[in-house]
Amino acid sequence: MRAVVYRRYGGPEVLSAEETAKPDPGHDRVLVRVHAVSINLSDWECLQGTPLYARIGGLRRPARQVLGSDIAGVVESVGAGVTRFRPGDAVYGDNLGLKGGFAEYAVAPESALAPKPDSLTFAQASTLPQAGAIALQGIAGTGPGDSVLINGAGGGSGSFAVQLAKRLGAHVTGVDNGEKLDYMRSVGADEVIDYRDQDFTRAGTYDLVLDLVARRSVFAYHRALARGGRYRCVGGTTRTLVRLLTAGTVVGGLTGRRMGVLAVKSGPAHFTPLAGLCAAGEIRIHIDRRFALDETPEALAYVGAGHSLGKVVIEVM
């Protein structure tokens, strides 16, 4: 089978398209013929090996040589212990533990997959598992009239989070680079900020700050929160995450604010609710660009440079 492989950390130049053996699902896993796989920030981080947590399981070299976790495709075969799926079923899911999506076939645990909604294409379904879980959990607890700021609102998770927060009646401020201001407005942001021109932590106070690219100090985030407000970050530098888990917890607790890192739960229960909203036309899926499998290095470079509006998809079959 064709797969895009990397054997050392680095930029897109360390990737190569190669012929490799088709994987065996074993006893309790599913072999999926991949039709589409979307790119997440986690793919870019694991490619580069930075932040440091991206090297978990492989400090010196990648533990998994084929990236790509958000897959959608058709079941090719199943292990003897699999009970929920059979060959021919259309499925999608976040295969973060095993990855392998930048290939014609990928092996995934049965528990990571869900039946693909008939009304969604494979490309559309592939955009949802990881980004959807982050967005749903990131804005949980939001209600009518809340003031919400989303840093990284022009990307996949961010643009879903904007729409979900608006659906719950919140006033939403989106933050990203200047190329994405119009896009953030198009998905529902009431206000937009170009982080290169304005420090969003000095733009006002918010009931919820969902930060998808945390790099500022604990005190900067603290001043952006209204009393009783919540700060949740999903991605960022290792140093920032450690400080939020330590000093952020203390500072927030002493001042009536909650600050911390969002431990995102994965699995179908955490992304299928968004798929239902998308299938019903209540939430919009925006695919910025589509690439062929052999163009995976170019696709990752595009996402890593911060250009993508919503999601970028590799179409394999």
Side-chain angles (χ1 to χ4, degrees), residues 41 83 86 88 288:
L41 183 59
T83 60
R86 61 184 181 182
D288 181 9

Side-chain angles (χ1 to χ4, degrees), residues 6 24 87 121-122 163 200 252:
Y6 80 130
D24 186 330
T121 66
F122 287 106
Q163 296 178 77
F200 71 81

Side-chain angles (χ1 to χ4, degrees), residues 4-5 8 67 79 108 110-111 140 142 176 247 270 273 284:
V4 176
V5 177
R8 61 186 176 90
L67 293 168
E110 180 180 23
S111 61
T142 298
D176 217 307
H270 303 290
R284 169 188 170 194

Side-chain angles (χ1 to χ4, degrees), residues 25 28-32 75-79 82 85 91 106-110 113:
D28 58 352
R29 293 174 178 170
V30 178
L31 179 64
V32 178
V75 174
E76 179 79 1
S77 62
V78 299
V82 173
F85 300 108
V91 296
V107 169
E110 180 180 23
L113 301 172

Side-chain angles (χ1 to χ4, degrees), residues 108-138:
E110 180 180 23
S111 61
L113 301 172
K116 182 186 76 66
D118 292 338
S119 60
L120 299 181
T121 66
F122 287 106
Q124 289 173 325
S126 76
T127 69
L128 298 174
Q130 192 174 128
I134 291 171
L136 284 165
Q137 293 168 60

Side-chain angles (χ1 to χ4, degrees), residues 36-259:
V37 52
S38 75
I39 294 178
N40 294 298
L41 183 59
S42 60
D43 295 308
W44 178 250
E45 293 174 341
C46 288
L47 173 64
Q48 294 190 307
T50 183
L52 189 60
Y53 56 74
R55 297 187 182 223
I56 292 175
L59 188 59
R60 293 187 175 182
R61 60 183 60 87
R64 304 286 179 184
Q65 295 185 348
V66 180
L67 293 168
S69 59
D70 274 7
I71 60 174
V74 174
V75 174
E76 179 79 1
S77 62
V78 299
V82 173
T83 60
R84 293 176 50 234
F85 300 108
R86 61 184 181 182
D89 288 347
V91 296
Y92 72 121
D94 182 2
N95 196 28
L96 186 60
L98 299 178
K99 302 183 178 65
F102 297 150
E104 292 177 325
Y105 295 90
V107 169
E110 180 180 23
S111 61
L113 301 172
K116 182 186 76 66
D118 292 338
S119 60
L120 299 181
T121 66
F122 287 106
Q124 289 173 325
S126 76
T127 69
L128 298 174
Q130 192 174 128
I134 291 171
L136 284 165
Q137 293 168 60
I139 59 86
T142 298
D146 283 351
S147 178
V148 174
L149 181 140
I150 299 168
N151 185 30
S157 301
S159 56
F160 285 136
V162 170
Q163 296 178 77
L164 290 166
K166 286 296 297 178
R167 188 172 179 272
L168 294 171
H171 181 94
V172 179
T173 298
V175 181
D176 217 307
N177 65 58
E179 300 171 13
K180 302 185 181 184
L181 301 185
D182 288 341
Y183 172 69
M184 290 188 290
R185 293 187 186 99
S186 76
V187 295
D190 299 289
E191 300 178 45
V192 294
I193 294 174
D194 181 347
Y195 70 83
R196 297 174 297 190
D197 295 334
Q198 182 180 1
D199 180 354
F200 71 81
T201 68
R202 297 183 182 276
T205 56
Y206 303 89
D207 299 304
L208 170 66
V209 173
L210 174 60
D211 196 350
L212 303 171
V213 281
R215 292 188 175 92
R216 290 172 170 79
S217 72
V218 167
F219 297 102
Y221 294 130
H222 179 270
R223 68 170 168 255
L225 287 178
R227 187 165 184 83
R230 298 165 294 143
Y231 171 88
R232 295 171 173 169
C233 77
V234 178
T237 66
T238 303
R239 177 179 295 182
T240 301
L241 299 185
V242 170
R243 287 176 174 174
L244 284 164
L245 286 168
T246 53
T249 301
V250 174
V251 170
L254 291 173
T255 59
R257 295 160 178 84
R258 286 174 286 169
M259 304 180 67

